[in-house]
């Protein structure tokens, strides 16, 4: 019997009505003859609400206690979904991440999954149960609950699908697939039928928001096919897999798959740091230790013979950690001062087709400059060109780039 893993995000289980709809959907999959494992997120804004609640008590709550607190969100939704399934006459059982066998590396708030002991899940499936598993959480080596980072239940789902050798991992969400740009920003954005892992990774990392980037990384590594689709009806969504289907036309690849934007970034700058060996290693070593993800580093705008500025892009959610780290560096004589600027955004043109087609970068810059927008930083990979622009201009840039490449 084939196993399907279905993941439902917070908006899909936001209230009893929606939980019932998910239950019917999941039940149908079992009726069709599949063994079904369902991974769920916390209902609606529960995770945000819990964070706000903790902030009323402390500005810097302990990370361990935050994981304890946040993991309760998913625990509510698994029980409620199992209850709804029972009402429809299905055999179902809810399991926490711990009961489902997720073992993590133990880092609070941003744990990685080390392995899954799926024996309990398999046993419950064999007994005819629909198994409803809490996403976003696992067990640390010392026996604590740890969470996987915001949006982490996508990664829980993909990991379980790989462990169970499921045919596919279906990610149900409140949009009907992956678009060539954010449809809220670009009216003419189109839904993609397929997208490669690499393109999806760039889109996800650029804030396309549909999938947790780590879930795509994991799927790519193990060749797990993902299907991103809406939980509101039965339309097909977007398939994320290695080779995209060109409808038989081998060379008719799309040069550009999409235009992504990320409004949740900040630029950090360390001013007048000594230009000497080991500097970058010290700064980024420290940030890595604090688990700060750094993107687009610019080093070398020399301010004098032996001094230079160092800038990098990170997530705004890491502002506290960055402030702490850079503050300590400046106090220790590394650099004169530092600054965080969150009035910027990242706009990216993504497409596997650009490897073999020159000119995408030139066209990107031309489009942005024709709007009179100043590009502050640029980074490129084989399949992506990213520009840092003022946040206030980002939407305009996205629309113009979409029109130029995909209009
Ligand atoms: N509930 C968690 C969050 O809001 C995990 C998830 O939804 O994937 O980030
Ligand atoms: Mg999500």
């Amino acid at each position: 019997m084939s196993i399907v893993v279905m993941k439902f995000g917070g908006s899909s289980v936001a209230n009893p009505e929606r939980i019932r709809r998910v239950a019917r959907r999941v039940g149908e999959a079992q009726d069709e003859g599949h063994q079904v494992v369902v991974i769920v997120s916390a209902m609606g804004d529960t995770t945000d609400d819990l964070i706000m609640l903790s902030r009323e008590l402390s500005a810097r709550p302990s990370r361990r206690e935050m994981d304890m607190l946040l993991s309760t969100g998913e625990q509510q939704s698994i029980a409620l979904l199992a209850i709804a399934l029972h009402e429809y006459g299905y055999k179902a059982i809810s399991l926490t991440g711990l009961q489902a066998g997720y073992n993590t590396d133990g880092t609070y708030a941003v744990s990685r999954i080390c392995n899954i002991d799926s024996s309990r899940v398999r046993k419950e499936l064999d007994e005819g149960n629909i198994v409803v598993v809490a996403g976003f959480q696992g067990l640390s080596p010392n026996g604590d609950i740890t969470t996987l980072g915001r949006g982490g239940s996508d990664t829980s789902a993909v990991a379980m699908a790989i462990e169970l050798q499921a045919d596919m991992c279906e990610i149900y969400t409140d949009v009907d697939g992956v678009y060539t740009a954010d449809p809220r920003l670009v009216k003419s954005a189109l839904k993609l039928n397929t997208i490669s892992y690499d393109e999806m990774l760039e889109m996800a990392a650029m804030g396309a928001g549909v999938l947790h980037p780590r879930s795509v990384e994991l799927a790519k590594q193990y060749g797990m096919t993902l299907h991103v689709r809406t939980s509101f009806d039965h339309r097909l969504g977007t398939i994320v897999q290695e080779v995209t289907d060109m409808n038989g036309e081998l060379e008719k690849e799309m040069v550009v798959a999409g235009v992504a934007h990320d409004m949740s970034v900040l630029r950090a700058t360390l001013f007048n740091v000594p230009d000497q060996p080991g500097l970058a290693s010290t700064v980024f070593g420290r940030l890595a230790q604090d688990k700060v993800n750094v993107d687009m580093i610019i080093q070398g705008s020399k301010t004098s013979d032996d001094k230079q500025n160092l800038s990098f892009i990170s997530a705004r959610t890491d502002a506290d950690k960055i402030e702490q780290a850079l503050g300590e560096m400046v106090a220790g004589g590394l650099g004169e001062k530092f600054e965080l600027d969150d009035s910027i955004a990242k706009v990216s043109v993504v497409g596997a087709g650009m490897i073999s087609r020159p000119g995408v970068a030139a066209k990107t810059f031309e489009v942005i400059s024709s709007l009179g927008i100043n590009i502050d930083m640029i980074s490129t990979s084989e399949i992506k060109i990213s520009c840092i622009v003022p946040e206030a201009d980002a939407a305009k840039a996205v629309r113009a780039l979409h029109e130029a490449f995909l209009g």
Side-chain angles (χ1 to χ4, degrees), residues 7-11 40-48 51 70-71 73-74 77 135-137 147-156 212:
K7 183 259 168 179
F8 292 87
S11 56
V40 280
S41 296
M43 295 168 71
D45 296 328
T46 303
T47 310
D48 290 327
I51 291 173
L70 298 190
S71 63
E74 272 69 16
S77 47
F136 180 54
Q137 54 179 258
T147 63
L148 307 182
R150 298 306 307 271
S153 46
D154 292 337
T155 301
S156 306
H212 195 225

Side-chain angles (χ1 to χ4, degrees), residues 68 104 161-162 209 237 283 390:
M68 184 66 93
T104 71
I162 292 166
V283 174

Side-chain angles (χ1 to χ4, degrees), residues 14-128:
N15 55 46
E17 185 47 44
R18 292 186 181 183
I19 292 176
R20 257 185 232 115
R21 187 168 49 205
V22 168
R24 288 195 294 270
R25 187 75 181 245
V26 166
E28 276 169 27
Q30 196 191 47
D31 295 343
E32 286 165 11
H34 301 290
Q35 288 192 315
V36 185
V37 178
V38 191
I39 313 285
V40 280
S41 296
M43 295 168 71
D45 296 328
T46 303
T47 310
D48 290 327
D49 294 345
L50 290 170
I51 291 173
M52 268 156 54
L53 199 57
S54 72
R55 288 285 144 94
E56 289 190 26
L57 297 167
S58 165
R60 282 180 188 272
S62 129
R63 287 157 85 78
R64 179 188 187 276
E65 301 311 329
M66 284 310 289
D67 277 4
M68 184 66 93
L69 177 66
L70 298 190
S71 63
T72 62
E74 272 69 16
Q75 213 165 310
Q76 296 175 357
S77 47
I78 52 169
L80 291 168
L81 180 54
I83 290 168
L85 281 162
H86 295 159
E87 275 305 298
Y88 285 118
Y90 291 99
K91 260 187 94 176
I93 185 167
S94 65
L95 298 177
T96 64
L98 286 54
Q99 290 173 312
Y102 287 87
N103 293 308
T104 71
D105 65 5
T107 320
Y108 298 118
V110 284
S111 262
R112 289 189 169 256
I113 301 167
C114 297
N115 58 65
I116 302 176
D117 171 0
S118 59
S119 46
R120 175 79 188 270
V121 171
R122 286 183 188 277
K123 173 178 157 283
E124 300 298 348
L125 285 174
D126 289 343
E127 288 176 10

Side-chain angles (χ1 to χ4, degrees), residues 165-295:
Q165 298 181 316
D167 292 341
M168 187 180 295
C169 182
E170 299 191 306
I171 310 276
Y172 289 85
T173 173
D174 54 357
V175 294
D176 59 359
V178 181
Y179 277 73
T180 51
D182 184 340
R184 285 167 301 188
L185 226 65
V186 182
K187 292 275 167 298
S188 58
L190 292 173
K191 192 181 83 189
L192 294 160
N193 291 328
T194 59
I195 187 169
S196 69
Y197 293 118
D198 286 333
E199 289 169 329
M200 188 63 227
L201 262 176
E202 296 289 4
M203 298 289 276
M206 297 308 145
V210 194
L211 286 175
H212 195 225
R214 269 165 54 199
S215 71
V216 185
E217 251 167 49
L218 193 60
K220 175 181 156 75
Q221 212 173 333
Y222 289 87
M224 175 58 60
T225 302
L226 309 179
H227 186 178
V228 181
R229 60 195 305 191
T230 172
S231 62
F232 297 102
D233 58 50
H234 281 77
R235 265 175 304 162
L236 296 179
T238 302
I239 299 281
V240 188
Q241 61 187 9
E242 200 51 79
V243 185
T244 56
D245 180 6
M246 302 303 165
N247 300 323
E249 293 175 70
L250 262 182
E251 288 247 308
K252 191 188 153 277
E253 63 197 327
M254 277 213 277
V255 178
V256 168
V259 180
H261 65 275
D262 189 348
M263 310 281 200
S264 65
V265 291
L266 61 77
R267 181 188 48 231
T269 306
L270 201 50
F271 293 94
N272 285 327
V273 286
D275 183 14
Q276 65 195 27
L279 188 259
S281 151
T282 308
V283 174
F284 296 110
R286 164 69 200 265
L287 291 166
Q289 218 175 38
D290 293 349
K291 303 237 188 266
V292 173
N293 268 323
V294 172
D295 179 38

